[in-house]
Structure formats: structure tokens, C-alpha cells
Amino acid sequence: GNQTQTGTTTPPNTQTNSGSLPASVQSKYTGATIKEQNQEDDGRWEIKLIYQGECRDIKTDTGGNITEDKSC
């Protein structure tokens, strides 16, 4: 039986949330709402999120370190 709808409030797939983001972004913006996330072929990230009501445009290098962080 494939029971994904069990009536729980937890989404069946948590990977689509911030779980796949670089640790640096997760730790800096814990609980943020991810609007867009795009990982380049070389491992760099481009992320747009809402954190405490503020929109942030974030870019990282291939190691997941934040290289750009500005309001959007």
C-alpha cells in the first residue's frame, strides 16, 4: 500500500522545502519562505526567499558559501 495521504500536517516530501539548500543559507535564514531556488550545473545556487517579511536575493559559490545577499 502506498499511503501518502494519512491526514498529517507534514508534507510527504520535505526535499522540496529548504532541506536541499546550502547549509550556509539554511542557518542564516532559518524558517524562510523559499520563492525560487536554482542550482547551476557547476553547483552554484541562486535563491530568492522571504525572511521575516523581507525579500532576499542570494547567490552562492560552488561550495555553498554566500557570495551575494541583497534585498529584492
Side-chain angles (χ1 to χ4, degrees):
N2 190 1
Q3 294 183 337
T4 53
Q5 301 295 330
T6 56
T8 60
T9 56
T10 306
N13 184 3
T14 56
Q15 288 303 108
T16 56
N17 206 341
S18 61
S20 59
L21 293 179
S24 58
V25 178
Q26 288 191 58
S27 60
K28 186 171 184 177
Y29 295 107
T30 305
T33 301
I34 308 301
K35 290 297 185 185
E36 297 175 27
Q37 63 183 64
N38 182 38
Q39 188 172 23
E40 305 293 339
D41 292 337
D42 61 7
R44 292 176 298 143
W45 283 88
E46 291 186 15
I47 302 156
K48 180 177 286 189
L49 53 77
I50 306 295
Y51 183 68
Q52 297 181 345
E54 185 180 358
C55 180
R56 305 299 298 175
D57 255 330
I58 300 164
K59 294 182 181 180
T60 75
D61 60 17
T62 55
N65 303 300
I66 296 172
T67 56
E68 191 173 306
D69 186 348
K70 60 184 180 181
S71 64
C72 45

